[in-house]
Amino acid sequence: MKAAGLALIILAGYTLKRLGIFHTEDAKVISRVVINLTLPAAFITGFRNFVFQPEYLIVIIIALACNFLLLGIGFLLTKGKDIPTRALYAMNLSSYNIGTFVLPFAQSFLPAQAIVGVSMFDAGNCPVNCGISYALVMGRDGGSVKDSLKMVADKLLHSVPFMTYLLLMVKCAVGLEFPEPVYAVASMVGSANSFLAMLMIGILFQ
């Protein structure tokens, strides 16, 4: 039932776009709402009873390893090809769509604690997705690695989901707790994440 419900939301987004009620550019607005509001709120809810354990670092390392493996495969597949093709393969083979696709499914099917595991994987995935892959492509193709790394740092510092990860990890490491109203509001906002993410995918679907 849950899987069918998520599929129907995607279908609804696509159908409403075909009927002219939504337009492709509307997905950009929904994307900003998801990335900056509902997704961070879902993280806060998922981390409510989180107790930091060193084992979680292994998940982050696995995520980084998976990304760099796929980056390497992208470079191998495009050896000798033009720069745009190499960039396309390297930047699209690596990184995983956790926040707007995996997490909504995890929220629907798994207990809240499972979101922590998914978030740990995304914590290792996010830096690559936010620019490390771009920096490596630029470095291989004679671009300025220094400028690329500055761009990575800037994107991470302005990434609300990544900074939310960082804040939550520090909070858990030092044993702090948010006041109860914070969790109440985060739960209310975060519960809309699955719906909005699936609707956005439907609107973008071609």
Side-chain angles (χ1 to χ4, degrees):
M1 289 293 292
K2 288 179 179 179
L6 292 172
L8 283 172
I9 296 170
I10 294 174
L11 180 61
Y14 176 71
T15 303
L16 290 170
K17 182 182 72 171
R18 293 299 300 267
L19 292 173
I21 296 172
F22 285 130
H23 301 89
T24 302
E25 55 268 23
D26 294 331
K28 294 180 181 178
V29 177
I30 298 174
S31 174
R32 286 195 286 269
V33 173
V34 169
I35 295 299
N36 296 298
L37 286 173
T38 63
L39 185 57
F43 291 150
I44 292 171
T45 304
F47 274 78
R48 181 172 186 174
N49 298 313
F50 173 66
V51 178
F52 181 79
Q53 298 175 13
E55 289 81 1
Y56 281 117
L57 296 175
I58 297 173
V59 182
I60 297 175
I61 293 170
I62 290 172
L64 287 168
C66 289
N67 273 286
F68 286 122
L69 174 64
L70 290 171
L71 269 171
I73 291 172
F75 288 138
L76 285 173
L77 289 174
T78 56
K79 189 175 181 180
K81 295 188 177 181
D82 57 271
I83 292 174
T85 301
R86 290 202 296 272
L88 179 71
Y89 272 68
M91 294 175 67
N92 287 281
L93 271 176
S94 64
S95 80
Y96 298 81
N97 194 345
I98 304 296
T100 54
F101 196 77
V102 176
L103 194 67
F105 274 87
Q107 282 182 283
S108 299
F109 292 102
L110 302 172
Q113 294 87 341
I115 296 175
V116 173
V118 175
S119 299
M120 290 296 100
F121 188 91
D122 202 25
N125 172 65
C126 194
V128 180
N129 193 27
C130 283
I132 286 178
S133 57
Y134 177 78
L136 290 174
V137 170
M138 289 294 291
R140 280 177 58 88
D141 295 320
S144 172
V145 177
K146 184 179 178 181
D147 289 342
S148 300
L149 291 174
K150 282 183 180 179
M151 183 205 72
V152 174
D154 184 65
K155 289 190 73 173
L156 288 176
L157 289 173
H158 289 88
S159 168
V160 176
F162 184 77
M163 294 308 293
T164 302
Y165 286 142
L166 205 58
L167 174 64
L168 291 170
M169 291 294 287
V170 171
K171 177 190 80 70
C172 295
V174 299
L176 294 176
E177 277 299 332
F178 292 134
E180 186 60 32
V182 173
Y183 290 114
V185 173
S187 177
M188 182 171 57
V189 176
S191 63
N193 188 64
S194 297
F195 173 76
L196 289 177
M198 296 298 106
L199 185 69
M200 179 183 68
I201 290 169
I203 294 172
L204 288 170
F205 193 80
Q206 299 289 341

